[in-house]
Every structure is written in C-alpha cells, then in structure tokens.
Amino acid sequence: MEGIAVDTLYQITKIAAEAKDLPSLWEPLFEVVLKTLKVDAGTIMTLEGDFLVRRVAIGMGQDIMKEPPIPSAKGGISWSVVQSQKPRIITDLSKEKIASKTLSETMHSLVTVPMITRSQVIGVMSVFTRKERQFSDKDVNLAQTVANQAAGAIVNIRSAEILEENRRRLAELGALNELSRSIGTLFNFEETLFSIVGLITRLLRADYGAIILFNHQEKLLKAVLPAVNLNDWQVKDLRMRSDEGVAGESFCKGVPVLANKIDEATAKVLSRAKLTDVKSTLIAPLKIKSQTLGVIQIFSKTEKNFTEDDLRLFTILSSQAAIVVNSSYMYREIEEERKKDSALLSSIGEGVLAVDESGKIILLNSAGEQITGFLEEELLSKKITETLGLWGKDKKIIEEKNSPIRKVLQDGKTASLAEVYLKKHDGTLFPANLSIAATRDADDKIIGAIVVFRDITRELEIEQMKQELISIATHELRTPITGIKGYLDMILEGDAGELSPDLKEMVTEITKINQRLGDLVDDLLNVGRIEQGRIEIKPVEMDIVKLIDEVISELQIQAKNKGLELKSEILNTYPAKGGAKSECRVKADLERTRQILINLIGNAIKYTQTGSVTVTASKSQISNLKSQNNEVIVSVKDTGLGMSVEGQKKLFEKFYRIKSDKTREISGTGLGLWITKKLVEKQGGKIWVESVEGKGSTFNFSLPRA
Amino acid sequence: MAKILIIEDDVVLSRMYQKKFEHEGFEVAAAYSGGEGLQKAPQELPDVILLDIMMPAVDGFAVIRTLKKDEKTKNIPIIILTNLGTSQIFIDEAKRLGVHDYLIKYKTSAKEVLETVKKNLNKG
C-alpha cells in the first residue's frame, strides 16, 4: 500500500503537470485513483458557485453524467462533506438518502472526501464499491491525499504562476518514486536514506530533517546519520526519552503529529541539539507491520509552516521512509551476520561444506580446505561423491544413490555419521565425523544442505591408545588379584592353621570382594576388546541345546546353593536330523555363545531368591516381530525380582544397574548385559527382555539358524 | 617326594604358588624368567613344570619348544598357567606343542592348580 501511495502521488502530479486543460485531466487521473484504492467506480464533482458539478464519472454508466448539477439546497452526502470538510464513509448505501438513483441501485459502499487545497474546499471525490467494503483509516487517508493533490493540480492548471512549484514537486516526487521502487536493489542505504529525508524535507518546505530511531538497549530515541542540514554533533545530541516532547508522543502513540507551536518539553529537547530556531515541526512514526522503529521528523524555522494537508502527505511519505529504514537496518544486520558467519566459518576447526538442492558443492571453508587439501574452487559445482567421495566405517564406498547427503536433501532430517572416510586431494582416505543438516528458504523449502566434517584421525589414535592403556592396566591388575586369591584360598583351606569362625567369615568376605575386583577387570577387558573390534567371531554349526545343557550343569551348583531349580526345556524345535533327540542347530561362535549363556543364566540366579530358572530354545515364530523366521530363540526365564519398564529400557546400557533395596546386596559391574548384547549382535542376533516387577524376567536372544 | 619347577616372572605370584606347593609337601624350584627356566629344568629334572606364557625375552612357548627338543626334558609334563585369556589360538598352539593342561590364572584357585598338578603326576 505504502509503495503504491508514492507511485500514485507521482502519477497524479505528473498527469496534472502534463494536462493542458481540465477536460484532459479527469480520466487519466481517475484511472490511477481507482487502481490504487481498488474500488469499482468513482466520481469527482467541483464546487461551482452554489452547485456541485460532476466532472468525471468512471464505472457507473454514462447516464449519470446527464444528471443535473446538485444545488446546495438539495443537500445529500456530497454537500455534507463540502460543509463539514471531513470525509464520510458509508458501508451500506441502501440505507442512505442518495441524490443519484443510479448510484443507490448499483453501488454498496462509498468514501467521499473533500478536495482541499490551501484550506479551501474546491469539490468532492467519491469512490464506490459494488460489494460491501469496510474502508480503513488508511484507505480514507490515501483517498484524502489523492483528492488534495488533485485539488492542487486543478488549481495549478487554473493559475499558471504556481506551475513552477508544481514542476518542482513533480521532480521530487519522481525522484522519491524512483527511490522507493529501487529499494530492493539498492545497497547504499545511507545514501538512499539521505535522499529520502532530503526529498521529504524539501517537498514540505522544511529546514531540517532527521530520522530518529528507538534504541532498545538505551531506551532512547536517537537521531541517526545522515540528517538534513544538521551537523554530526547536532545529530548526536538530538535524542530524547520516549515520553519526552512531540517526537516521543508520536513514537509512543504511533500517530503522526503536527506541531505548529513548540511546547516546553519539545523546546528542551531541541535546545540540547542547538535547534533553538525551530518554530514548527512534523513527526510521523516509522512503522513496519506492528513494530514502530522510531520517527521521522522535519523542522521549520517558520511559524505555522505546515498544514493538515502537509501532515497527510508526510504520513504517506514517512511510510515509504519506514520501508527504507527497515531494509537498511535489516541489510546492516544481514551484513554483520554475514561477516560474523564468514569469520566463524574461517575460524572454526571443523570443515564446513555447503551443497545446493542438487547436491553440488557451493562452499568450502578454509578449515575444510586444510583438512581435505582441496581448494574451494576445485570442488565448486561438483558433487561430494565425485570429489571427496564417501566411504563407510568398513571402508566400503557409499554410492551416490545411497548418499546420506542426498537423503537429507530429500527428507530434511538432520543426519550424523560417525567414522566415515573421505578422500584427500592426495588420494589418501581420512576418518571423519559428519553432520548433515538441510538448509531451507523462508517458505521452509529445502534449498541445500550444510555438511560439517571433522578429521578424527587423532581422536581414533587417542582412543586406541586409551584402550590399550586400559587393556594393559587391567591385565596388570589381574596378577595381584590372582595372588590375593591364592593366599586367601590357602588361609580358608586351613593351610595356615585352624580359623576361628569370625576370622573365617572375614576372610570369606575379603574373598568375595577380591572376586568382584576380578570380575570388574574381566568385564573391562571385554568392553575394551569389543570397542576396539578385537573380538573374533568364528561361527560354526552347533547344537544350542547341547551347549545350554553344558552351561546349566556348570552353573547347577550356584543354583543349588540358593535352593533354585535350574532346568532347560526344548520347545517347538526343528526335527532332529536322523536322531530321536530333538536339537536346535545354530550358526554361532561357541565360546561367545557360552559367555552369553553364562551371563544370562548367572544373572537370573543372582537376581532370583526363590523359584526357578528355566532356559528354553525354540524356533522363532512369524508372529514374533522381534525376530525373523530363520532364527532360533533362546529364553532365560526366572521368577526373580523383575524390573520396571524404565529399567528395561536402560538395562543394556554400559554401567547401568537397577538400584533398589533388593539389589543393593547383589554385586555387579553394570557391564555384563552390555557385553552380552554386543556379543549377541556381533553374531547377527538380537536381545530383548520381558519383565514384570516382582514377578520375574525373561531374557531372550536370537541366533541365526544353521 | 614330587618335585615341581615353577617358571613365572611375577615374584608375588611365584611365591604364592611356591608356598602352596611347599605346604602340600612338594619339593619346589623356582625360575623367574624363561631363560632361567631352561637352565633349571635339565638341572632339577622336576616331575612337573608350571609355566607362565607372557615373559620377557624367552616366552612360555619358546620354553616349551626347547624343552621338547631335549631328550632329558621332553617327557616332563608341562602345565601352562597364564593370564593370556581363552583365545583358542594360544590353546591350540599349546596343545600342538604337547602341553598337558592350560589353566587361566585368575579363573583358577591355587587348590585347583594343585589338583591339576597331582592329576598329571599320576599320569606320569
């Protein structure tokens, strides 16, 4: 709307300036008005003595021009506007007394404004819509301004001596129009702002002009450079609180203010900036949507310099200035962000690479250049798979069709890849961690992706060193633990003489503690092996039932000591090959599977006080979603403590232990199930738990069927 | 009285095993390195050798290979006592070399070591 307003004003003034006589003025003028206000019809009547004479009518048929002039005695809407000099809005015409019958039958809503120039009403302008419309204050203000400009043009045509001023106004409006059209493409906003403030100041015959913006940190309204006819010191000193003077009032209320006298508060503000000769001033808020950025203020050394008409024009022009101010500050912010971004991009140690929506590289930061050895220019417009390439953790190449970048560009979901490999300029591969995030435009459409990558060569080395250190340390711990165990066993066996019951109990406790240390070292070693991928899996065909029975007989003594029943059941198995005894053949690593069974059955015994532990093997059923049909499922069911749903979720995490009064006495490292899970997964199986707190748990794992 | 040679570089562990076997009435000889073990075995001619694997310079496997070549020592039963873990490669290698038993230190109590030694003595 604001953009259109200046354009409209310019066009109207241009039409008026170029019109040779009144009849050639009306139609082109009104076409602009109708288009700007988006109305269906309009008419202008001028005041000729005691009559309102219709000069032009558009969109309401030719018959209306044949209607006679309206005498003041007849009254009606138009005459009421002439007399009150105020606009009238009528939303429903059928409820009003209308002079013209044609109008009341075809139109629904109207705005009628007086055409005023130099405080004189010279006629009225009315615009109509066929459908109901609620005209806003903005519409009315624009109609009024247009009408007044038109009035000025009419008068100007009539009196040749004002032609010169008219020309000047046209030139300045033309310049302003040019400026506002080109805002989007202008980069020198300071110049643009200066031009706008300068044009407005001159157009309205003012002496000084300034843009005063609200500073949110200081909570002050402060003039900004550039300003018209004010030196730098005056600009610096032109500042005020938001409740101070007319500028404060305009800012707070968000309305334009015309002050033909300077009140005390305003005078104080002006005196600080050495603007003591100001006699009148115009202020309009700079509004963008609901936000008020500040005000634009022009000052005159002449008393009563500004008219209501000036205020209206100023209001429209200031809305134009607001756009420039806003664009200017947005541009500055973007510039600053851009500088920050580029500083950030070049300072961070991580490689940053941007691709467009087709996956072609459009940016590589300097860290990225350092890491890869490529120069940005060498990668631009090429795909990652064509240049850096992408290999998985297993060093197998990832094809373009499976590229995670392509996936992010499609689904917009951020992706992280740990330990993948990229190729350097010299052809060597380096390990990297990758994060890929989609970039989107204002409409949320994916326009590309940002890939952040980090060379993790050093980290992998450190990780390996750490693992080796842990491995050596834990290995070294085993020897003293074995020594302590040996001596404790000797003491307990009476090698050093008969023990008192107290001493025997204490030494037994120490033995248990030592055992715990040993278990911890053992688990840590296993964790280290798994994490370094040093665990070898040699799958062989074997009968899992036989292995279960072996482990059960090994652990039977532990179960008996607690009074638990430990047994195996074979359910729903595959037919045995040739033999009568049923069997369940799997393809798995014997030692690792033994370890899995020992861990699960050992845990079941540990966490069960009364009842039984039952181990079953069965072929998987299709109904079981967690496993596939070609798998064997081993379940270890106990009647022990069970656990909460929360506990079940975290159970397989490293160092997680269920904490309760009942488990406090049970020792453990919190590593066993993590290790077990890894061992199952390494063999291509899955592990899961079903449990009811207080009722018992069932641990299940699957293994591929042989 | 049966004689045992303990080849173990860790003094603490060696002394612990020495104590156990002395208590059980064994005649005990100790070597604290593979080299020392190779030197003592033909001298002492023990009834059984308890041998560690991970030792600097001459490791347990090297000791076995040398002992098996010597007519005087090749029939002495050897029991490996190590913390080298359960890796099948080591166990297979030990068996190939003719080792009688393979025990994991931290998993085996002194009493179990004793029983294994006694079992091998009976065989001999």
Side-chain angles (χ1 to χ4, degrees):
Chain A
M1 192 77 186
E2 286 84 1
I4 297 163
V6 176
D7 192 31
T8 308
L9 283 181
Y10 172 64
Q11 286 185 44
I12 289 168
T13 316
K14 196 164 178 255
I15 289 161
E18 285 168 357
K20 292 189 177 64
D21 48 28
L22 280 173
S24 65
L25 173 70
W26 302 125
E27 286 214 13
L29 181 81
F30 230 91
E31 267 169 31
V32 176
V33 171
L34 295 189
K35 220 171 93 190
T36 310
L37 287 169
K38 292 196 177 75
V39 289
D40 302 310
T43 183
I44 285 177
M45 288 187 276
T46 56
L47 199 57
E48 308 291 341
D50 202 27
F51 288 91
L52 275 169
V53 181
R54 197 174 302 278
R55 294 295 180 179
V56 62
I58 284 181
M60 42 183 67
Q62 280 309 303
D63 285 353
I64 196 154
M65 290 305 287
K66 291 174 191 157
E67 287 179 12
I70 308 163
S72 63
K74 206 176 174 185
I77 295 161
S78 296
W79 270 108
S80 79
V81 168
V82 170
Q83 276 145 15
S84 69
Q85 299 198 11
K86 291 217 169 96
R88 269 195 74 177
I89 307 159
I90 294 167
T91 306
D92 190 354
L93 275 171
S94 63
K95 288 176 186 161
E96 296 287 327
K97 180 179 159 257
I98 303 283
S100 164
K101 214 179 152 194
T102 325
L103 282 180
S104 61
E105 278 168 5
T106 53
M107 299 297 160
H108 202 290
S109 306
L110 88 84
V111 175
T112 300
V113 290
M115 298 169 75
I116 305 171
T117 184
R118 308 186 170 201
S119 310
Q120 279 231 293
V121 179
I122 64 151
V124 292
M125 182 179 89
S126 301
V127 290
F128 304 86
T129 57
R130 287 198 185 90
K131 285 179 185 159
E132 183 176 314
R133 171 156 159 197
Q134 305 277 351
F135 285 98
S136 69
D137 289 352
K138 230 174 184 175
D139 296 333
V140 175
N141 194 24
L142 184 63
Q144 184 65 72
T145 310
V146 167
N148 290 356
Q149 289 294 306
I154 292 164
V155 173
N156 287 354
I157 282 171
R158 283 171 178 170
S159 57
E161 76 247 31
I162 314 169
L163 216 63
E164 191 50 38
E165 194 201 325
N166 195 24
R167 283 225 180 89
R168 190 176 59 80
R169 198 170 249 224
L170 174 68
E172 290 186 342
L173 274 171
L176 190 58
N177 192 37
E178 276 301 304
L179 277 178
S180 45
R181 272 163 189 268
S182 51
I183 283 169
T185 58
L186 281 177
F187 286 99
N188 194 339
F189 281 92
E190 289 212 350
E191 217 166 83
T192 314
L193 272 179
F194 184 69
S195 305
I196 284 197
V197 183
L199 282 167
I200 292 173
T201 308
R202 281 205 303 282
L203 199 60
L204 293 162
R205 309 170 307 279
D207 298 299
Y208 315 106
I211 283 170
I212 301 168
L213 295 178
F214 187 67
N215 184 315
H216 287 271
Q217 267 133 41
E218 296 175 47
K219 306 257 178 264
L220 282 178
L221 283 159
K222 295 175 82 177
V224 293
L225 287 167
V228 178
N229 295 335
L230 297 176
N231 65 36
D232 289 3
W233 290 109
Q234 283 177 303
V235 172
K236 196 172 165 281
D237 291 333
L238 184 57
R239 55 200 187 118
M240 62 221 77
R241 283 177 286 275
S242 58
D243 59 354
E244 210 174 3
V246 280
E249 185 190 337
S250 171
F251 174 74
C252 288
K253 291 183 182 162
V255 294
V257 176
L258 164 62
N260 268 324
K261 262 190 188 163
I262 302 300
D263 62 81
E264 211 178 298
T266 307
K268 218 168 153 186
V269 170
L270 293 174
S271 70
R272 288 202 293 255
K274 310 271 182 302
L275 279 166
T276 44
D277 55 353
V278 169
K279 296 289 192 305
S280 54
T281 180
L282 269 181
I283 313 106
L286 295 168
K287 279 201 225 175
I288 287 289
K289 290 172 188 165
S290 58
Q291 201 194 351
T292 306
L293 307 168
V295 295
I296 177 167
Q297 186 167 18
I298 55 173
F299 310 88
S300 173
K301 292 188 244 180
T302 315
E303 250 177 72
K304 293 188 188 167
N305 182 59
F306 304 110
T307 64
E308 286 289 335
D309 196 21
D310 288 335
L311 179 65
R312 267 188 290 272
L313 183 59
F314 183 57
T315 307
I316 289 173
L317 298 178
S318 64
S319 64
Q320 197 64 44
I323 296 171
V324 182
V325 169
N326 191 46
S327 310
S328 152
Y329 282 84
M330 260 163 48
Y331 177 75
R332 275 185 209 173
E333 266 172 36
I334 291 167
E335 265 297 280
E336 270 164 34
E337 276 302 303
R338 207 182 60 81
K339 278 181 199 154
K340 254 192 263 168
D341 278 355
S342 105
L344 208 66
L345 284 183
S346 52
S347 69
I348 54 178
E350 300 194 337
V352 180
L353 188 145
V355 298
D356 65 11
E357 73 272 21
S358 67
K360 285 181 182 149
I361 297 167
I362 51 172
L363 177 149
L364 177 72
N365 73 341
S366 59
E369 289 184 335
Q370 272 174 34
I371 295 170
T372 62
F374 278 103
L375 296 174
E376 188 181 29
E377 294 74 21
E378 295 172 321
L379 298 189
L380 292 181
S381 300
K382 289 176 188 151
K383 293 200 171 188
I384 287 180
T385 41
E386 295 168 355
T387 49
L388 297 168
L390 191 58
W391 285 262
K393 194 173 180 172
D394 49 5
K395 295 205 181 173
K396 275 187 192 150
I397 195 150
I398 299 171
E399 305 281 345
E400 170 65 21
K401 63 176 176 1
N402 300 321
S403 159
I405 295 155
R406 199 173 135 137
K407 195 165 169 288
V408 170
L409 286 171
Q410 276 164 4
D411 64 16
K413 282 184 199 146
T414 301
S416 295
L417 305 175
E419 211 187 323
V420 291
Y421 289 83
L422 298 170
K423 191 170 65 188
K424 289 188 184 182
H425 183 250
D426 64 10
T428 56
L429 298 187
F430 69 94
N433 281 355
L434 243 62
S435 301
I436 310 161
T439 47
R440 294 163 191 272
D441 65 8
D443 299 326
D444 220 28
K445 194 177 145 260
I446 296 169
I447 52 166
I450 300 280
V451 182
V452 180
F453 58 98
R454 196 155 46 91
D455 184 347
I456 55 165
T457 308
R458 185 81 189 122
E459 281 164 56
L460 290 184
E461 280 170 11
I462 290 169
E463 180 62 21
Q464 200 183 341
M465 278 162 64
K466 196 184 88 189
Q467 290 298 346
E468 276 166 14
L469 189 75
I470 290 176
S471 173
I472 291 165
T474 40
H475 225 279
E476 287 306 307
L477 279 170
R478 269 183 172 171
T479 305
I481 290 168
T482 311
I484 294 168
K485 184 178 157 60
Y487 282 112
L488 289 172
D489 286 349
M490 279 186 244
I491 295 168
L492 279 176
E493 281 155 21
D495 289 2
E498 192 74 18
L499 291 174
S500 72
D502 270 357
L503 196 54
K504 192 167 184 174
E505 197 192 319
M506 286 177 202
V507 176
T508 307
E509 283 303 311
I510 298 171
T511 308
K512 279 186 195 162
I513 294 165
N514 194 51
Q515 179 65 39
R516 222 171 111 185
L517 262 176
D519 288 347
L520 182 60
V521 167
D522 211 19
D523 282 351
L524 281 173
L525 271 171
N526 274 323
V527 169
R529 276 195 204 110
I530 291 167
E531 286 187 336
Q532 288 169 64
R534 280 201 291 119
I535 210 137
E536 339 151 35
I537 301 288
K538 278 196 222 137
V540 291
E541 257 195 63
M542 61 173 180
D543 180 11
I544 188 79
V545 178
K546 195 175 151 226
L547 185 63
I548 290 171
D549 287 337
E550 270 176 40
V551 175
I552 282 182
S553 66
E554 232 176 272
L555 296 175
Q556 200 59 258
I557 181 116
Q558 278 185 38
K560 268 204 184 111
N561 286 344
K562 285 187 83 174
L564 300 175
E565 188 190 0
L566 173 60
K567 61 181 191 296
S568 70
E569 273 175 16
I570 312 303
L571 299 166
N572 196 16
T573 51
Y574 303 99
K577 284 177 194 161
K581 196 176 180 286
S582 62
E583 58 172 16
C584 242
R585 296 197 73 81
V586 294
K587 207 165 164 57
D589 184 292
L590 183 72
E591 273 315 305
R592 304 304 169 204
T593 310
R594 185 196 298 276
Q595 207 176 337
I596 293 165
L597 285 168
I598 290 173
N599 283 357
L600 291 180
I601 300 170
N603 265 356
I605 295 169
K606 226 155 83 170
Y607 292 96
T608 305
Q609 300 310 316
T610 55
S612 62
V613 174
T614 313
V615 187
T616 61
S618 62
K619 66 177 175 184
S620 63
Q621 280 156 9
I622 301 163
S623 63
N624 191 329
L625 291 173
K626 291 206 167 119
S627 66
Q628 289 162 353
N629 201 25
N630 53 356
E631 287 178 331
V632 168
I633 296 170
V634 179
S635 304
V636 179
K637 188 173 186 235
D638 66 45
T639 57
L641 298 173
M643 70 201 92
S644 65
V645 178
E646 195 57 34
Q648 291 174 40
K649 277 184 201 157
K650 292 187 177 166
L651 197 63
F652 295 101
E653 286 173 19
K654 224 194 271 182
F655 293 112
Y656 180 80
R657 293 203 65 210
I658 305 258
K659 290 203 175 77
S660 78
D661 290 344
K662 283 173 183 153
T663 58
R664 195 168 296 136
E665 291 290 310
I666 304 166
S667 74
T669 59
L671 291 167
L673 282 174
W674 183 87
I675 292 167
T676 307
K677 182 171 188 265
K678 294 289 168 186
L679 292 179
V680 170
E681 287 170 354
K682 269 267 176 190
Q683 306 194 62
K686 291 189 197 76
I687 187 165
W688 67 99
V689 65
E690 292 150 19
S691 180
V692 178
E693 213 166 357
K695 292 260 165 88
S697 309
T698 305
F699 283 84
N700 311 281
F701 68 94
S702 61
L703 287 172
R705 194 186 154 194
Chain B
M1 195 195 299
K3 190 194 257 188
I4 185 166
L5 173 62
I6 300 169
I7 308 174
E8 161 72 70
D9 64 329
D10 190 286
V11 181
V12 172
L13 274 191
S14 177
R15 276 180 22 210
M16 189 267 286
Y17 290 122
Q18 289 174 40
K19 192 103 188 157
K20 182 71 192 173
F21 284 99
E22 275 164 11
H23 190 268
E24 293 295 325
F26 279 77
E27 190 182 330
V28 181
Y32 297 102
S33 71
E36 196 186 346
L38 286 177
Q39 197 191 332
K40 283 200 172 166
Q43 284 172 12
E44 303 278 348
L45 291 174
D47 300 296
V48 63
I49 293 173
L50 207 55
L51 177 64
D52 187 18
I53 294 290
M54 285 223 294
M55 288 182 294
V58 184
D59 73 9
F61 288 119
V63 172
I64 302 167
R65 281 185 210 107
T66 313
L67 291 180
K68 289 294 172 192
K69 277 183 206 153
D70 188 337
E71 275 301 319
K72 282 201 281 186
T73 54
K74 72 173 186 186
N75 290 323
I76 303 173
I78 298 172
I79 297 162
I80 284 179
L81 189 58
T82 180
N83 263 342
L84 209 53
T86 50
S87 187
Q88 201 60 43
I89 301 168
F90 295 120
I91 297 170
D92 289 347
E93 173 69 5
K95 277 189 183 156
R96 199 184 61 79
L97 290 173
V99 164
H100 288 71
D101 265 298
Y102 191 100
L103 302 176
I104 309 297
K105 282 181 200 166
Y106 66 97
K107 281 185 178 170
T108 318
S109 69
K111 193 177 169 186
E112 282 164 336
V113 174
L114 177 74
E115 275 159 13
T116 310
V117 167
K118 278 182 178 166
K119 185 183 79 187
N120 280 293
L121 282 177
N122 291 340
K123 274 182 197 165

